[in-house]
Amino acid sequence: MRPDTPADHITEAERLLRTAAQYPEDREPLLLRAAAHLELAGARTRATTLYDDLLAATPPPENPQLVKALKAANLWEYGHEAEARVIIDGIRATPPSDAAAWEIVAETLEAHDELESSEAAFSTAVTALIPSPDDEVPYPSQSLLMGRHRVRRLLGMRHDDWDVLADRLHTGSVPLDELHDPKRLWSLGSSDPAELQAEITRLRSELGSYRTALSRPFPVAVLLWPADELTELLAAYPELEAEYPTHEAHLTDLEASLRELASAGTPNLGIVQGTVPSYEAFAASESTSPSNAALLPQYATTLAARGRATPWPPSRTATCWCGSGTAYGECHGTPKI
């Protein structure tokens, strides 16, 4: 059951903080989730303290842009607008590298009626993170397209190629233009039953989209073993050789599995990287042997839940997930015939 009251959110935040102390290698994603629960509980000053702790940590956070964006959004909500604006201006002055950080910045500006600035932030992120409207769109970048569509609709701007792409990716029963219609709320004051029923249908569609997103707090992840880790794993547990005949076959199977999941309509796919010590510790926590192949998908899911997943697919020009240093479109992004 999801937390519903401030006390529930505080309890969940405390649990996440304890987990972060138990798994220091996953401290950043766990503390970010704890801070989110503190914000929902109204403990915004305490949430800011967690963001500050992450930004001051050694080594620094893996995603400082995301931490700064979350801190700015939180600060603005409890009266620290000037400080929030400074942080947001700093993020916008750097080239976008993370979809989530830029989405938070743009939505924060939107929430405070800075619609032109919000549209500019969305557009900067979209054009930087998606090579072209004809390319594959990584799952984290899809919400940028939806947010940009919404803000442009509020501003009364004409559709462009990115808006058309957002329309195409939208899977709800109600078209995006209807969901994002700035006049739709006027119907709530209507006494016409047909208008009210139409608005209820649109709200249910939008709620369904939010529930779908909330039902996947982490990606559906597959497990990647770097070459040296796989060699060590198989030397210690030769029973797993049936799962991994060679490292090259492992990489090929991984890409094929992801493509199969994607073709079946599974959203929010990701890759988690395994290590032998981490896997052995997980096996011990499950009171089973690391040689048990059934443990591998559970290990992958646990790593994903702790924020260790890298979204798939990357853009075709991004470095391939396999570690080759080659662009994805020239490596595993090219289907093998």
Side-chain angles (χ1 to χ4, degrees):
M1 181 179 295
R2 295 186 182 278
D4 290 323
T5 68
D8 291 336
H9 285 294
I10 293 291
T11 299
E12 180 63 11
E14 297 290 356
R15 185 190 70 79
L16 290 166
L17 291 172
R18 291 193 298 272
T19 304
Q22 184 179 2
Y23 300 101
E25 69 276 16
D26 297 332
R27 183 172 180 267
E28 181 177 341
L30 292 168
L31 259 59
L32 289 179
R33 289 168 60 189
H37 282 286
L38 291 173
E39 289 187 32
L40 290 169
R44 293 190 174 274
T45 302
R46 190 177 172 195
T48 296
T49 300
L50 287 185
Y51 296 136
D52 287 337
D53 288 347
L54 279 169
L55 291 170
T58 302
E62 293 180 7
N63 195 341
Q65 276 191 320
L66 176 60
V67 179
K68 290 176 182 177
L70 290 166
K71 178 183 175 181
N74 182 51
L75 285 169
W76 204 328
E77 287 299 320
Y78 72 106
H80 296 267
E81 178 183 341
E83 186 177 352
R85 285 184 179 276
V86 170
I87 296 171
I88 286 173
D89 289 345
I91 294 172
R92 294 182 66 189
T94 60
S97 59
D98 178 76
W102 279 74
E103 182 178 8
I104 291 164
V105 164
E107 289 187 343
T108 299
L109 293 166
E110 177 190 359
H112 296 281
D113 296 324
E114 304 274 349
L115 295 182
E116 289 82 4
S117 296
S118 176
E119 194 276 337
F122 271 126
S123 294
T124 298
V126 164
T127 54
L129 297 175
I130 306 173
S132 82
D134 298 322
D135 204 356
E136 285 184 293
V137 182
Y139 185 83
S141 298
Q142 293 183 18
S143 55
L144 289 173
L145 287 167
M146 305 304 170
R148 181 179 182 273
H149 185 289
R150 180 181 62 248
V151 173
R152 287 171 61 83
R153 191 80 167 84
L154 290 171
L155 289 168
M157 302 175 75
R158 291 177 179 270
H159 267 38
D160 60 10
D161 290 344
W162 299 110
D163 291 321
V164 172
L165 177 59
D167 287 331
R168 191 166 72 242
L169 291 172
H170 177 63
T171 58
S173 59
V174 178
L176 275 186
D177 276 350
E178 285 191 46
L179 286 178
H180 296 162
D181 184 354
K183 297 180 181 179
R184 57 183 286 211
L185 293 180
W186 296 0
S187 63
L188 293 176
S190 172
S191 58
D192 185 340
E195 289 187 0
L196 290 172
Q197 184 58 52
E199 181 58 24
I200 289 171
T201 300
R202 287 192 290 265
L203 288 171
R204 281 176 174 166
S205 174
E206 194 166 18
L207 181 60
S209 298
Y210 282 128
R211 282 176 171 165
T212 298
L214 287 172
S215 70
R216 295 193 181 279
F218 50 83
V220 175
V222 297
L223 183 60
L224 166 66
W225 293 99
D228 56 344
E229 293 289 342
L230 185 60
T231 299
E232 182 180 346
L233 178 75
L234 297 180
Y237 309 104
E239 299 89 343
L240 296 177
E241 288 182 359
E243 301 291 324
Y244 308 113
T246 66
H247 189 252
E248 182 179 354
H250 167 50
L251 300 182
T252 301
D253 289 346
L254 189 151
E255 178 73 20
S257 296
L258 288 165
R259 288 181 180 273
E260 183 177 349
L261 288 167
S263 66
T266 305
N268 201 14
L269 297 170
I271 297 172
V272 289
Q273 186 168 299
T275 66
V276 174
S278 170
Y279 179 59
E280 290 175 334
F282 177 72
S285 71
E286 295 293 313
S287 301
T288 189
S289 168
S291 62
N292 179 5
L295 195 64
L296 294 167
Q298 299 176 42
Y299 175 55
T301 299
T302 300
L303 290 177
R306 283 158 48 188
R308 308 305 295 177
T310 299
W312 180 95
S315 69
R316 295 185 63 80
T317 56
T319 303
C320 188
W321 52 262
C322 69
S324 65
T326 306
Y328 175 64
E330 300 172 4
C331 191
H332 285 88
T334 302
K336 302 297 187 290
I337 298 176

